[in-house]
Amino acid sequence: MGGIHAFTPMRRLFALLLMVALALPSWAQDRLPAGLMWNRSGLPATLPLVVKTMPGQDYVVFLAPTEGGDPVMAGYIRGGAFFRLLVPPGTWTVRFAHGRDWQGEDELFGPGTEWIGLDRPLTFEAGVARRQGHIVRLIESDGQVRVASSGPLDICQGLTVTTEIDKRDENREALNLLPAPGLQDLRDDFDAFPRSDFNRLPAPGLRRTETELDTRSRVCP
């Protein structure tokens, strides 16, 4: 009997942990993964939208045409976590639905769903060396979510060219490599002209070059 009673505290602890787990809010288990939900714009999404939020609620961001109509893109945001979404070029009306209990795309966060929108549309565009995105910061104050700040996020793209040159093989002629047919005749003909970088024929062992292009992006200063 003593062995049975020895496990009683452990069983009570397990039962307590089980009750706590069952009492956790269902939204913590049913939340969607953060990121793109859908893109119905028909355009490539290449421009950054960064949203900073506070923990406690989740959000869905919607992008819609400024002239009205259904949203063309949606993304799910987990409150308090870093969020970055690539969006298509254009000028879009941006709105956020937020709440705690995710009910699916039709019901969103159920009867407790609340909405907040930006005062002005956001323009996303790309140039040769610069991509223009936006960063939005949402905060919760006195139980109300509001837009704390909204501003441009410009990404500069730099192109780096790396060239590697092989060393000239000074002993190449020792390999008895024969020149192409007629090459010597061409050289004899060119002897009548002044030697320059424009009319000098390449000699055996010409250096070989390899060029690599590296495109990197960074936040513009």
Side-chain angles (χ1 to χ4, degrees), residues 54-221:
M54 300 178 65
Q57 299 190 58
D58 283 359
Y59 301 78
V60 178
V61 56
F62 293 95
L63 276 69
T66 56
E67 61 272 16
D70 295 332
V72 299
M73 173 174 278
Y76 194 88
I77 305 172
R78 291 193 169 191
F82 175 79
F83 177 81
R84 177 177 178 266
L85 182 69
L86 295 179
V87 308
T91 300
W92 309 106
T93 298
V94 181
R95 300 183 67 202
F96 299 88
H98 59 92
R100 297 178 181 275
D101 189 9
W102 177 248
Q103 300 293 318
E105 291 191 25
D106 294 332
E107 300 295 331
L108 298 178
F109 299 98
T113 301
E114 298 183 4
W115 291 85
I116 183 173
L118 301 184
D119 295 335
R120 58 181 179 82
L122 301 182
T123 297
F124 298 83
E125 56 188 359
V128 176
R130 180 185 294 258
R131 291 182 296 155
Q132 179 180 322
H134 289 272
I135 181 169
V136 178
R137 180 168 171 260
L138 304 178
I139 63 172
E140 185 174 354
S141 178
D142 298 328
Q144 298 293 323
V145 175
R146 63 182 182 87
V147 178
S149 61
S150 174
L153 176 63
D154 290 344
I155 305 298
C156 290
Q157 300 179 130
L159 179 63
T160 302
V161 179
T162 302
T163 302
E164 295 183 358
I165 303 177
D166 290 349
K167 294 183 178 179
R168 183 186 298 272
D169 187 356
E170 301 296 344
N171 299 320
R172 188 180 181 91
E173 302 212 5
L175 300 177
N176 294 323
L177 296 179
L178 296 177
L183 181 59
Q184 187 60 46
D185 296 338
L186 289 175
R187 287 183 178 173
D188 293 340
D189 292 341
F190 270 80
D191 286 340
F193 296 93
R195 295 285 182 171
S196 70
D197 291 338
F198 297 96
N199 59 27
R200 183 180 300 134
L201 290 178
L206 183 67
R207 295 181 180 180
R208 179 169 57 91
T209 62
E210 294 183 358
T211 302
E212 295 182 357
L213 302 180
D214 182 17
T215 302
R216 298 185 179 183
S217 300
R218 58 183 177 83
V219 177
C220 299

